[in-house]
Amino acid sequence: MSAVRAGRPKAKAGPYVSTTNACKLCTPLGACLAFRGVEGAVPFLHGSQGCATYMRRYIISHFREPMDIASSSLGEKHAIYGGGPNLKQGLKNVLCKYQPQLIGVATTCLTETIGDDVPRLVKEFIREYETSGDPSPLPRLVTVSSPSYQGTHMEGFHRAVRALVDQLAQAAAPTAAVNLLPGLASPADIRYLKEILADFGLAGIILPDISETLDGPQETTYHKIPAGGTPLAAIAAMGGSQATIECGATLKGQDTAGQLLADRFGVKLFQIGLPMGLRETDLFFGLLEMLSGRETPRQHALERGRLLDAMVDGHKYVFDKRAVVYGEEDLVVGLTAFLAEIGVRPVLCASGGDTGRLHGAITAVGADLLPEMPEVRGGVDFYDIAEEAQGLAPDLLIGHSKGYHLAKKLQIPLIRVGFPIHDRFGGQRLLHLGYRGAQQLLDRLINAILAKKQADSPVGYGYL
Ligand code: SF4
């Protein structure tokens, strides 16, 4: 029986409804992550200093890389008189200290509430700068509205990607390039996607590209802006590409960057779910075959074959296990698609995101494989998830680090995926996408089940 409830409102104790350990992060944090994936870019928050500090802490502890986020550092008086002067001074400081190619300005709760008109302020800044006689070149300035009381870090991420395309892409001569908008994938995922595109002989424009900027090599010289990221010229050229592939099941039919490229420049748009698990990855490779006119290269066909083989080998360990899956909506959909293929029953699919599209997307990937549809809950926090999970007897929890306390309470393994991963090492190198990502996920999941079985055994054994 399918049991679907929209998120709250649901009182936890009496009429007062609060959020307890949110299952989402702040909206401009997602925008900063997207800006970090552009070459020569500095993310800039128009708001108070604490916002930048919180976001830097979260991002650094996951990626283990320096993450500078500039701030207009508003104080009390700016909440009354407006933050324009601080914004302009802050932009000047960033110009002077970083000499960036681009500054991505994201708004915060405070500046949205006081109603600062950031696009107008930035236009004013450009006019004033151009008449100031300062010889330093002005970087590109991209603005995005990202109040955190509206949406999640994923909305912030997608809005920033759309803003980059909106404010930088131009009409361009047609090329055979393919725009790839992968969503919030790990740096390892992005490196793998680049490898796949190259193996198909396709010139790809991946936006954003955090493969180096958030997982760079050891260097003897400190660079204020890390190397890598999508070049500005490539973003400008996206309007001439032959097609856009946009990943994210809940993005379908929305006002996205891919839709903008289609509407403004006529770039053919293909919207798919995150390529996770076998069937969703098959869809992605099928698109690449069509766009490149080539068959899937042998090395990838072999990876697919090995994945199938591993699914058969591992089925006896995972069959009928019950999983609670949580995190950002598109990742939850991708994980559900994968779990349904390997015989694990997702019993609860939950997200702090509340687009209203999670249930439809879960049904689309699972209805023909799952014997019983899971509970689907959007707009929830970990209080809700814990309450819901109690009665569902899950064997596994799959999601980011913020579910650790619940896993501990339920005494079941937590398989860490997505962002943020604060209590393990190497979150930035986890693979989620494609045949290779599914293989790694399958191995990790089976090993977590085996480790638990071994630990729970009163006699212990060394052969499983
Ligand atoms: S939720 Fe709002 S106030 Fe808090 S860090 Fe995010 S933008 Fe700043």
Side-chain angles (χ1 to χ4, degrees), residues 81-255:
Y81 298 111
N86 267 47
L87 172 63
K88 292 175 185 174
Q89 185 58 50
L91 291 173
K92 268 190 217 157
N93 292 347
V94 171
L95 276 176
C96 166
K97 298 245 179 255
Y98 291 86
Q99 295 93 44
Q101 294 179 45
L102 178 137
I103 303 177
V105 184
T107 60
T108 59
C109 300
L110 172 60
T111 48
E112 288 284 345
T113 304
I114 64 176
D116 267 3
D117 183 349
V118 173
R120 181 183 62 77
L121 290 167
V122 166
K123 270 190 201 136
E124 264 177 35
F125 171 78
I126 294 171
R127 224 173 20 244
E128 287 160 19
Y129 190 83
E130 283 172 347
T131 52
S132 69
D134 191 320
S136 331
L138 194 63
R140 297 302 303 262
L141 291 154
V142 170
T143 61
V144 61
S145 166
S146 44
S148 202
Y149 40 77
Q150 201 186 59
T152 70
H153 61 298
M154 285 315 299
E155 265 96 352
F157 181 93
H158 291 306
R159 275 187 216 166
V161 174
R162 190 189 180 285
L164 285 162
V165 169
D166 180 34
Q167 295 166 48
L168 300 178
Q170 296 166 2
T175 67
V178 172
N179 304 323
L180 179 55
L181 308 174
L184 180 51
S186 74
D189 285 322
I190 304 286
R191 286 194 287 273
Y192 175 42
L193 290 174
K194 284 171 143 178
E195 184 187 320
I196 295 171
L197 288 173
D199 290 345
F200 272 97
L202 284 166
I205 302 175
I206 300 185
L207 180 69
D209 177 0
I210 57 168
S211 61
E212 283 184 53
T213 56
L214 282 172
D215 193 19
Q218 165 68 22
E219 287 181 304
T220 47
T221 315
Y222 176 67
H223 299 285
K224 285 185 193 153
I225 302 178
T230 316
L232 295 189
I235 303 174
M238 288 175 95
S241 297
Q242 64 156 319
T244 301
I245 301 176
E246 189 165 51
C247 304
T250 64
L251 298 181
K252 290 177 189 169
Q254 302 305 304
D255 182 19

Side-chain angles (χ1 to χ4, degrees), residues 25-29 45-48 50-55 107-110 146-149:
L25 303 172
C26 133
T27 307
L29 186 153
L45 289 178
H46 185 35
S48 40
C51 301
T53 307
Y54 147 71
M55 291 178 212
T107 60
T108 59
C109 300
L110 172 60
S146 44
S148 202
Y149 40 77

Side-chain angles (χ1 to χ4, degrees), residues 136-446:
S136 331
L138 194 63
R140 297 302 303 262
L141 291 154
V142 170
T143 61
V144 61
S145 166
S146 44
S148 202
Y149 40 77
Q150 201 186 59
T152 70
H153 61 298
M154 285 315 299
E155 265 96 352
F157 181 93
H158 291 306
R159 275 187 216 166
V161 174
R162 190 189 180 285
L164 285 162
V165 169
D166 180 34
Q167 295 166 48
L168 300 178
Q170 296 166 2
T175 67
V178 172
N179 304 323
L180 179 55
L181 308 174
L184 180 51
S186 74
D189 285 322
I190 304 286
R191 286 194 287 273
Y192 175 42
L193 290 174
K194 284 171 143 178
E195 184 187 320
I196 295 171
L197 288 173
D199 290 345
F200 272 97
L202 284 166
I205 302 175
I206 300 185
L207 180 69
D209 177 0
I210 57 168
S211 61
E212 283 184 53
T213 56
L214 282 172
D215 193 19
Q218 165 68 22
E219 287 181 304
T220 47
T221 315
Y222 176 67
H223 299 285
K224 285 185 193 153
I225 302 178
T230 316
L232 295 189
I235 303 174
M238 288 175 95
S241 297
Q242 64 156 319
T244 301
I245 301 176
E246 189 165 51
C247 304
T250 64
L251 298 181
K252 290 177 189 169
Q254 302 305 304
D255 182 19
T256 59
Q259 193 59 56
L260 187 150
L261 286 163
D263 293 344
R264 195 178 292 172
F265 305 111
V267 183
K268 215 178 287 170
L269 174 61
F270 299 94
Q271 289 184 307
I272 58 173
L274 290 178
M276 294 186 72
L278 192 74
R279 296 197 302 182
E280 297 294 299
T281 304
D282 282 350
L283 279 176
F284 177 60
F285 272 77
L287 271 179
L288 297 182
E289 286 190 350
M290 186 191 76
L291 294 169
S292 67
R294 294 187 190 180
E295 291 210 339
T296 293
R298 184 166 185 273
Q299 61 272 32
H300 297 285
L302 281 174
E303 281 188 323
R304 184 183 188 281
R306 280 187 214 110
L307 171 63
L308 272 173
D309 189 47
M311 283 179 171
V312 174
D313 293 343
H315 190 249
K316 61 186 174 188
Y317 301 117
V318 296
F319 174 69
D320 225 20
K321 293 287 183 222
R322 299 164 69 83
V324 168
V325 188
Y326 62 85
E328 56 106 345
E329 290 171 296
D330 289 324
L331 185 65
V332 168
V333 176
L335 287 165
T336 304
F338 165 71
L339 294 174
E341 288 169 350
I342 63 171
V344 172
R345 283 180 194 236
V347 287
L348 170 63
C349 298
S351 177
D354 201 10
T355 62
R357 297 185 288 276
L358 183 60
H359 176 248
I362 294 280
T363 305
V365 297
D368 61 336
L369 287 179
L370 293 169
E372 191 177 326
M373 287 303 286
E375 293 259 1
V376 179
R377 300 283 311 275
V380 291
D381 60 19
F382 276 99
Y383 183 97
D384 299 308
I385 296 172
E387 210 174 47
E388 207 60 75
Q390 286 287 1
L392 293 170
D395 301 295
L396 298 164
L397 223 57
I398 306 179
H400 50 71
S401 284
K402 292 183 81 178
Y404 167 68
H405 295 289
L406 177 58
K408 189 169 183 221
K409 189 170 149 203
L410 297 173
Q411 296 192 305
I412 58 175
L414 168 62
I415 289 107
R416 288 163 179 82
V417 292
F419 169 83
I421 295 177
H422 292 155
D423 61 344
R424 286 292 183 275
F425 187 71
Q428 74 277 46
R429 286 182 288 276
L430 285 181
L431 267 181
H432 307 80
L433 306 183
Y435 303 126
R436 204 179 290 167
Q439 181 69 77
Q440 290 195 6
L441 202 50
L442 180 68
D443 292 346
R444 292 207 294 133
L445 194 142
I446 292 175

Side-chain angles (χ1 to χ4, degrees), residues 41-70:
V42 173
F44 185 112
L45 289 178
H46 185 35
S48 40
Q49 182 65 49
C51 301
T53 307
Y54 147 71
M55 291 178 212
R56 291 179 59 241
R57 180 214 165 277
Y58 255 72
I59 294 170
I60 290 168
S61 74
H62 175 93
F63 293 98
R64 319 261 170 185
E65 291 289 354
M67 177 73 187
D68 288 6
I69 299 178

